[in-house]
């Protein structure tokens, strides 16, 4: 499995280089901030609050602002539901209380840029979704339940992605971490690994993400994510 994964990774990197795509040839390693986003998202999605507490402390120690960490937890409700998101936010509150009591001063950071409440949320979300995926999103799912497409465009890709506390790469890494943490949503995990590469995340960075998930969230999570990544790279 390891040799096969390394071979696929090498091929993907070579293809990216030959294509001359500046976005495809991205940084070779995850930053400390990106790694923290992945682990915070994974543990939030799994409802693993003890490990989430550790990950939140590491994220703050790695220089993430309170608002950046909070934004990851807010985004999680779109992928793993309000209960897990709210539990994550409450865990962050407890972590901040403990750090404050210990004399640690964490940077709050900037908030999201205000937006026009009268803006066309559907049009904004549709544009963002199309840019991320690389084509307009359509299919039987959205023909059968059109309202879910409206919710995705207006709220997820509109309201949430419009909040500029996190950039698109960071939001996609959070999504990959969450979906890998859930573990039985491989169609969606495949899609968002592909989208993350569309934002400029490299095959090497995704491989590092998988290794991080294997180390932090466990071999079951890591091996499943590895299979998804291997399958995706074979399609490249």
């Amino acid at each position: 499995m390891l040799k096969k994964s390394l071979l696929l990774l090498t091929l993907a990197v070579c293809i990216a280089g030959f294509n001359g795509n500046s976005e495809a040839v991205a940084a070779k390693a995850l930053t400390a901030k990106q790694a923290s986003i992945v682990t915070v998202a994974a543990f939030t999605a799994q409802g693993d609050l003890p490990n989430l507490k550790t990950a939140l402390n590491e994220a703050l120690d790695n220089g993430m602002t309170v608002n950046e960490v909070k934004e990851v937890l807010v985004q999680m409700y779109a992928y793993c539901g309000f209960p897990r998101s709210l539990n994550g936010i409450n865990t962050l509150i407890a972590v901040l209380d403990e750090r404050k009591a210990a004399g640690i001063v964490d940077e709050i950071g900037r908030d999201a840029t205000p937006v026009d409440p009268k803006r066309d949320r559907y049009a904004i979300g549709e544009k963002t979704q199309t840019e991320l995926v690389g084509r307009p999103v359509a299919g039987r799912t959205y023909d059968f339940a059109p309202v879910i497409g409206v919710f995705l465009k207006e709220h997820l890709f509109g309201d949430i992605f419009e909040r500029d506390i996190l950039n698109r790469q960071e939001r996609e890494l959070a999504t990959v971490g969450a979906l890998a943490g859930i573990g039985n949503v491989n169609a969606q995990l495949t899609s968002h690994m592909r989208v993350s590469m569309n934002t400029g995340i490299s095959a090497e960075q995704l491989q590092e993400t998988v290794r991080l998930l294997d180390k932090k969230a466990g071999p079951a999570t890591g091996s499943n994510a590895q299979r998804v990544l291997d399958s995706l790279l074979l399609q490249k």
Side-chain angles (χ1 to χ4, degrees):
M1 173 67 80
L2 179 59
K3 290 182 179 179
K4 179 182 177 183
S5 299
L6 290 173
L7 175 60
L8 290 170
L9 178 60
T10 301
L11 289 172
V13 171
C14 289
I15 292 169
F18 287 135
N19 284 344
N21 187 329
S22 59
E23 281 195 335
V25 185
K28 291 186 177 181
L30 294 176
T31 65
K33 178 181 178 181
Q34 289 172 328
S36 287
I37 287 172
V38 170
T39 54
V40 166
F43 289 134
T44 301
Q46 291 178 334
D48 185 345
L49 301 186
N51 277 321
L52 175 60
K53 180 178 179 181
T54 299
L56 291 171
N57 274 292
E58 289 177 351
L60 294 166
D61 290 341
N62 284 337
M64 288 188 71
T65 68
V66 172
N67 281 343
E68 286 172 336
V69 178
K70 189 194 311 181
E71 192 70 15
V72 174
L73 299 173
V74 169
Q75 180 180 325
M76 289 301 95
Y77 97 80
Y79 295 99
C80 55
F82 273 113
R84 293 276 161 98
S85 176
L86 292 172
N87 287 343
I89 290 170
N90 287 331
T91 302
L92 176 60
I93 291 171
V95 164
L96 292 172
D97 287 345
E98 291 178 2
R99 291 170 69 90
K100 183 178 181 180
I104 300 172
V105 178
D106 292 301
E107 181 183 353
I108 300 300
R110 69 179 185 85
D111 207 340
T113 302
V115 296
D116 181 1
K118 297 181 181 179
R119 70 199 185 286
D120 189 338
R121 294 162 58 233
Y122 186 94
I124 290 169
E126 184 176 40
K127 180 176 182 292
T128 297
Q129 184 187 45
T130 300
E131 289 172 351
L132 287 168
V133 176
R135 56 174 173 76
V137 175
R140 291 189 66 190
T141 301
Y142 307 105
D143 294 337
F144 180 73
V147 71
I148 199 69
V150 174
F151 291 162
L152 283 169
K153 290 178 174 66
E154 288 189 348
H155 189 52
L156 176 57
F157 293 108
D159 293 338
I160 294 180
F161 268 74
E162 197 176 16
R163 291 174 58 82
D164 56 0
I165 298 175
L166 300 175
N167 62 37
R168 289 182 177 183
Q169 287 189 0
E170 291 163 348
R171 288 197 181 278
E172 282 306 314
L173 285 173
T175 302
V176 167
L179 296 175
I182 293 170
N184 59 349
V185 288
N186 287 352
Q188 290 76 21
L189 180 55
T190 299
S191 175
H192 281 280
M193 282 185 170
R194 182 182 294 111
V195 169
S196 70
M197 295 182 77
N198 290 347
T199 69
I201 295 295
S202 69
E204 291 168 296
Q205 287 175 307
L206 281 177
Q207 183 60 66
E208 185 176 349
T209 298
V210 170
R211 287 194 295 265
L212 181 64
L213 288 165
D214 187 84
K215 178 181 178 181
K216 297 285 189 175
T221 297
S223 61
N224 180 66
Q226 185 68 69
R227 286 191 296 271
V228 172
L229 178 58
D230 288 347
S231 178
L232 174 62
L233 294 180
L234 281 172
Q235 301 169 27
K236 289 291 182 178

